[in-house]
Amino acid sequence: MSDTGPTSTVKSAMRTLDILELLVAQGRPLAAHEIATALMIPVSSLSYLLTTLAERGYVEKLGRRYGPGAGLERLQPERASDDVIARAGPIIRALRLRLNETVGFFIPRGDEVEAAVSEIGTQALRYSLEVGRSAPMHAFAAGKAILASYSEEQLAAYFARSTREAFTHHTLTDEDDLRLEIEGVRRNGFARTREEHTPGIQGMARVVMSGGKAAGAISVAIPLPRVTPIAEAQVGEALKQAVNLLEHPEAEDERKPAA
C-alpha cells in the first residue's frame, strides 16, 4: 500500500509550521525566494502554502513580501486580556448598578468579540447578554471600539479577510462606511451602534488598552425608548471612568481607605 498521501500531508504541515516560525523569527517581511531558499521548499509548493496562509490571515502579503498575519493572534490568547478579565467583574457590576442597563466586557477573538463578563439590567425592557456569546466586530459597539485601536496595517488585513453580514438594514458592511465610523470612534473616544445587530437596541462602548493593545471593550446596551441625549452623556462618562479603572488599577487602589 502506498503511503504517499499521508507522507505528503505531513510534509505540507511541517512546511507550513516552518514558514510561520521563520516569518515570526525574522522580524521583517521576506520575499518568496528568501523563504524558499531558507527552507528549501520548491517555489510551486511554497506559492500554494503562502496563498492558503494569507487567505486564513496567518500570513500577511505586503507587496511582494510576506510577514506574520493578524490571524496568529487567534492561536495564543492575550495574557493582558486574562489579567483585565480578572479585574473587570466588580467594575462591570458597579457600572450596571449605576446605569441599570446591561453591561458587558468583551474580548477580541479573531474577527469577533466575545462576552467575558456580563451584568444584566433589572428593568422590564432590557437586553439579555450571556457570557461566552460572540458577535462579529463590525456589528457590535465593542467590536468597533476595538477596530478603532488597530493600526492601518491591521485594519487593511481585517477588511481583506472578513466577511461582514448584514444583520439588519442598519448594519454597516461597506469598508468605506466602516472606516468613516472608525474615524469617528477615534475622535469621540467611544463607539456606537444603533440597531445594527439587534433591533431596538443601541450599544455604546469604549476600548480597554493593556500593553499597547486592545485587551477588550466595555459595552452598554440600551433599549431605544430610553436613549436620550442626557442618557448618552451619562453612559459616555460612566464608560470613561470604568475604562480608566481597568487601564489604571492603581487609581482604584488609591481610592481605598488605608488599613
Side-chain angles (χ1 to χ4, degrees), residues 24-188:
V24 171
Q26 287 300 304
R28 67 175 180 86
L30 298 177
H33 71 84
E34 293 179 290
I35 301 172
T37 300
L39 301 178
M40 294 186 293
I41 299 176
V43 175
S44 58
S45 299
L46 179 63
S47 177
Y48 170 78
L49 293 172
L50 287 174
T51 298
T52 302
L53 287 169
E55 289 175 350
R56 297 293 296 272
Y58 297 121
V59 164
E60 182 178 4
K61 188 174 183 180
L62 305 166
R64 295 187 177 183
R65 296 179 179 272
Y66 298 85
L72 291 175
E73 297 178 4
R74 299 196 298 266
L75 304 181
Q76 177 60 50
E78 181 62 57
R79 298 304 180 188
S81 294
D82 295 341
D83 177 62
V84 175
I85 291 170
R87 294 185 285 105
I91 293 173
I92 299 301
R93 190 172 305 113
L95 191 57
R96 193 271 297 170
L97 290 171
R98 176 176 175 178
L99 300 172
N100 199 15
E101 301 287 0
T102 296
V103 184
F105 178 67
F106 290 83
I107 56 176
R109 293 294 192 203
D111 293 336
E112 296 185 327
V113 287
E114 178 184 306
V117 181
S118 172
E119 287 286 335
I120 300 175
T122 61
Q123 302 188 68
L125 182 60
R126 61 184 183 269
Y127 181 73
S128 180
L129 175 66
E130 305 82 19
V131 170
R133 181 181 178 183
S134 62
M137 284 190 176
H138 73 282
F140 250 44
K144 289 184 181 181
I146 292 171
L147 286 174
S149 74
Y150 281 12
S151 67
E152 176 53 38
E153 292 74 19
Q154 290 173 313
L155 264 184
Y158 165 77
F159 283 118
R161 68 174 179 267
S162 64
T163 55
R164 299 177 293 278
E165 178 184 352
F167 294 93
T168 74
H169 67 275
H170 296 287
T171 309
L172 298 182
T173 59
D174 180 73
E175 179 177 345
D176 290 339
D177 291 339
L178 283 167
R179 281 185 175 274
L180 188 62
E181 184 105 341
I182 287 169
E183 285 304 315
V185 175
R186 290 169 174 167
R187 289 193 304 270
N188 300 328

Side-chain angles (χ1 to χ4, degrees), residues 195-210:
E195 297 189 286
E196 292 184 39
H197 187 271
T198 306
I201 296 295
Q202 173 168 304
M204 294 179 63
R206 194 175 179 96
V207 70
V208 177
M209 302 296 291
S210 180

